[in-house]
Amino acid sequence: PAFVQQLSCALGAKINPETTPATMALLRRAGGDLAPAVNIAKNFYKRPRPFANSREKACDPDAAIDGGKALGYSFPSGHAAVGWFWGLILADIRPERAAPLLKFGKATGDLRIACRVHWLSDVTYGRVFATGIYQAIADRAEYKADVARARTEINLAPVPEGCPAS
Protein backbone atom coordinates (compact mmCIF):
# COMPACT_ATOMS: atom_id res chain seq x y z
CA PRO A 1 0.00 0.00 0.00
CA ALA A 2 2.83 2.47 0.76
CA PHE A 3 4.40 1.76 -2.63
CA VAL A 4 1.10 2.37 -4.45
CA GLN A 5 0.59 5.56 -2.41
CA GLN A 6 4.02 6.86 -3.46
CA LEU A 7 3.28 5.95 -7.06
CA SER A 8 -0.12 7.68 -6.85
CA CYS A 9 1.53 10.81 -5.47
CA ALA A 10 4.06 10.88 -8.31
CA LEU A 11 1.25 10.33 -10.82
CA GLY A 12 -1.02 12.91 -9.21
CA ALA A 13 -3.90 10.44 -9.38
CA LYS A 14 -5.04 7.76 -6.96
CA ILE A 15 -4.60 4.35 -8.55
CA ASN A 16 -6.18 1.07 -7.48
CA PRO A 17 -7.63 -2.00 -9.20
CA GLU A 18 -11.24 -0.86 -8.77
CA THR A 19 -11.05 2.67 -10.18
CA THR A 20 -8.07 2.43 -12.53
CA PRO A 21 -8.16 -1.14 -13.89
CA ALA A 22 -6.59 -0.32 -17.26
CA THR A 23 -3.66 1.41 -15.57
CA MET A 24 -3.15 -1.43 -13.12
CA ALA A 25 -3.36 -4.00 -15.95
CA LEU A 26 -0.74 -2.05 -17.92
CA LEU A 27 1.60 -2.02 -14.92
CA ARG A 28 1.08 -5.77 -14.31
CA ARG A 29 1.77 -6.50 -17.97
CA ALA A 30 4.94 -4.41 -17.76
CA GLY A 31 6.20 -6.66 -14.97
CA GLY A 32 5.41 -9.68 -17.13
CA ASP A 33 7.33 -8.17 -20.05
CA LEU A 34 10.32 -7.35 -17.89
CA ALA A 35 10.64 -10.33 -15.54
CA PRO A 36 11.82 -12.98 -18.05
CA ALA A 37 14.76 -10.86 -19.24
CA VAL A 38 15.79 -9.94 -15.70
CA ASN A 39 15.51 -13.54 -14.49
CA ILE A 40 17.58 -14.91 -17.38
CA ALA A 41 20.36 -12.46 -16.52
CA LYS A 42 20.14 -13.22 -12.78
CA ASN A 43 20.42 -16.95 -13.41
CA PHE A 44 23.30 -16.47 -15.83
CA TYR A 45 25.45 -14.18 -13.66
CA LYS A 46 24.45 -15.55 -10.22
CA ARG A 47 25.90 -12.52 -8.51
CA PRO A 48 25.70 -12.55 -4.69
CA ARG A 49 23.99 -9.74 -2.82
CA PRO A 50 26.13 -7.03 -1.14
CA PHE A 51 25.13 -8.20 2.34
CA ALA A 52 26.00 -11.84 1.60
CA ASN A 53 29.60 -11.55 2.83
CA SER A 54 29.12 -8.79 5.35
CA ARG A 55 28.23 -8.46 9.00
CA GLU A 56 26.05 -5.49 8.16
CA LYS A 57 22.37 -6.23 7.76
CA ALA A 58 20.23 -5.25 4.81
CA CYS A 59 17.06 -3.28 5.48
CA ASP A 60 14.93 -5.54 3.25
CA PRO A 61 13.06 -7.94 5.56
CA ASP A 62 13.45 -10.76 3.05
CA ALA A 63 17.24 -10.48 3.46
CA ALA A 64 16.88 -12.09 6.89
CA ILE A 65 15.20 -15.20 5.46
CA ASP A 66 17.74 -17.97 4.81
CA GLY A 67 20.57 -15.49 4.37
CA GLY A 68 18.73 -13.64 1.64
CA LYS A 69 18.00 -16.67 -0.55
CA ALA A 70 14.40 -15.48 -0.83
CA LEU A 71 15.70 -12.46 -2.73
CA GLY A 72 17.58 -14.48 -5.32
CA TYR A 73 20.60 -13.16 -7.14
CA SER A 74 21.65 -9.54 -7.27
CA PHE A 75 22.35 -8.68 -10.92
CA PRO A 76 20.39 -6.99 -12.43
CA SER A 77 18.03 -5.39 -9.95
CA GLY A 78 14.44 -6.34 -10.71
CA HIS A 79 13.13 -3.64 -8.36
CA ALA A 80 15.20 -0.96 -10.10
CA ALA A 81 14.04 -2.28 -13.48
CA VAL A 82 10.34 -2.29 -12.63
CA GLY A 83 10.44 1.08 -10.86
CA TRP A 84 12.14 2.70 -13.86
CA PHE A 85 9.86 0.86 -16.33
CA TRP A 86 6.75 2.00 -14.50
CA GLY A 87 8.09 5.56 -14.43
CA LEU A 88 8.60 5.50 -18.20
CA ILE A 89 5.17 4.01 -18.87
CA LEU A 90 3.32 6.33 -16.50
CA ALA A 91 5.13 9.31 -18.05
CA ASP A 92 3.50 8.27 -21.34
CA ILE A 93 0.12 8.25 -19.62
CA ARG A 94 0.66 11.59 -17.90
CA PRO A 95 3.53 13.46 -19.60
CA GLU A 96 3.03 16.56 -17.46
CA ARG A 97 4.03 14.43 -14.44
CA ALA A 98 7.12 12.90 -16.11
CA ALA A 99 9.62 14.48 -13.69
CA PRO A 100 8.07 13.12 -10.45
CA LEU A 101 7.33 9.77 -12.11
CA LEU A 102 10.93 9.30 -13.25
CA LYS A 103 12.12 10.50 -9.84
CA PHE A 104 9.94 7.76 -8.30
CA GLY A 105 11.40 5.21 -10.73
CA LYS A 106 14.96 6.24 -9.92
CA ALA A 107 14.32 6.28 -6.16
CA THR A 108 13.01 2.71 -6.33
CA GLY A 109 16.44 1.55 -7.47
CA ASP A 110 18.39 3.92 -5.25
CA LEU A 111 16.66 2.48 -2.19
CA ARG A 112 17.91 -0.99 -3.15
CA ILE A 113 21.49 0.32 -2.91
CA ALA A 114 20.81 2.09 0.37
CA CYS A 115 19.30 -1.11 1.76
CA ARG A 116 22.43 -3.09 0.81
CA VAL A 117 20.53 -5.59 -1.34
CA HIS A 118 22.04 -4.43 -4.65
CA TRP A 119 25.28 -3.07 -5.99
CA LEU A 120 25.23 0.17 -8.01
CA SER A 121 25.83 -1.80 -11.23
CA ASP A 122 22.81 -4.02 -10.45
CA VAL A 123 20.58 -0.97 -10.26
CA THR A 124 22.15 0.69 -13.30
CA TYR A 125 21.64 -2.38 -15.46
CA GLY A 126 18.13 -2.90 -14.10
CA ARG A 127 17.34 0.52 -15.54
CA VAL A 128 19.12 -0.40 -18.79
CA PHE A 129 16.96 -3.54 -19.11
CA ALA A 130 13.82 -1.48 -18.46
CA THR A 131 14.79 1.16 -21.00
CA GLY A 132 15.51 -1.46 -23.65
CA ILE A 133 12.20 -3.21 -23.16
CA TYR A 134 10.37 0.13 -23.05
CA GLN A 135 11.95 1.06 -26.39
CA ALA A 136 10.83 -2.29 -27.80
CA ILE A 137 7.17 -1.77 -26.86
CA ALA A 138 6.69 2.02 -27.01
CA ASP A 139 5.79 2.16 -30.72
CA ARG A 140 3.48 -0.84 -30.74
CA ALA A 141 -0.16 -0.12 -31.52
CA GLU A 142 -1.35 -2.32 -28.62
CA TYR A 143 0.82 -0.40 -26.15
CA LYS A 144 -0.41 2.95 -27.46
CA ALA A 145 -4.03 1.78 -27.14
CA ASP A 146 -3.38 0.62 -23.55
CA VAL A 147 -1.81 3.99 -22.72
CA ALA A 148 -4.81 5.83 -24.18
CA ARG A 149 -7.24 3.74 -22.07
CA ALA A 150 -5.14 4.33 -18.96
CA ARG A 151 -4.88 8.08 -19.68
CA THR A 152 -8.68 8.34 -19.88
CA GLU A 153 -9.21 6.74 -16.47
CA ILE A 154 -6.27 8.55 -14.83
CA ASN A 155 -7.72 11.88 -15.94
CA LEU A 156 -10.90 10.95 -14.03
CA ALA A 157 -9.15 9.54 -10.95
CA PRO A 158 -9.15 11.57 -7.73
CA VAL A 159 -6.03 13.34 -6.55
CA PRO A 160 -4.41 11.26 -3.80
CA GLU A 161 -4.41 12.60 -0.27
CA GLY A 162 -1.40 12.82 2.02
CA CYS A 163 1.20 13.50 -0.67
CA PRO A 164 4.24 15.60 0.15
CA ALA A 165 4.45 18.97 -1.59
CA SER A 166 6.45 18.64 -4.77
Side-chain angles (χ1 to χ4, degrees), residues 115-137:
C115 281
R116 297 186 40 75
V117 291
H118 283 292
W119 305 97
L120 174 60
S121 57
D122 301 340
V123 169
T124 300
Y125 282 94
R127 292 177 186 141
V128 168
F129 271 71
T131 301
I133 292 174
Y134 170 79
Q135 289 172 337
I137 67 166

Side-chain angles (χ1 to χ4, degrees), residues 9-150:
C9 288
L11 186 59
K14 188 174 181 178
I15 59 171
N16 65 56
E18 293 80 34
T19 61
T20 56
T23 303
M24 298 302 284
L26 184 55
L27 295 178
R28 274 191 307 278
R29 190 170 321 119
D33 290 341
L34 191 59
V38 168
N39 289 333
I40 288 169
K42 282 181 179 287
N43 289 325
F44 179 80
Y45 290 104
K46 298 181 179 176
R47 185 179 201 184
R49 301 273 176 169
F51 63 83
N53 295 318
S54 173
R55 292 178 188 210
E56 294 182 41
K57 293 183 180 180
C59 63
D60 187 319
D62 288 336
I65 301 170
D66 294 331
K69 289 180 184 168
L71 292 173
Y73 296 112
S74 189
F75 180 88
S77 169
H79 283 84
V82 79
W84 188 246
F85 200 33
W86 284 2
L88 292 169
I89 290 167
L90 292 170
D92 283 346
I93 294 169
R94 202 164 231 191
E96 69 277 14
R97 301 285 302 169
L101 288 163
L102 294 176
K103 183 178 178 182
F104 166 86
K106 183 178 182 306
T108 303
D110 292 348
L111 181 62
R112 304 305 285 174
I113 297 167
C115 281
R116 297 186 40 75
V117 291
H118 283 292
W119 305 97
L120 174 60
S121 57
D122 301 340
V123 169
T124 300
Y125 282 94
R127 292 177 186 141
V128 168
F129 271 71
T131 301
I133 292 174
Y134 170 79
Q135 289 172 337
I137 67 166
D139 285 332
R140 292 183 181 170
E142 180 184 357
Y143 173 77
K144 289 180 179 184
D146 289 344
V147 166
R149 278 190 292 280

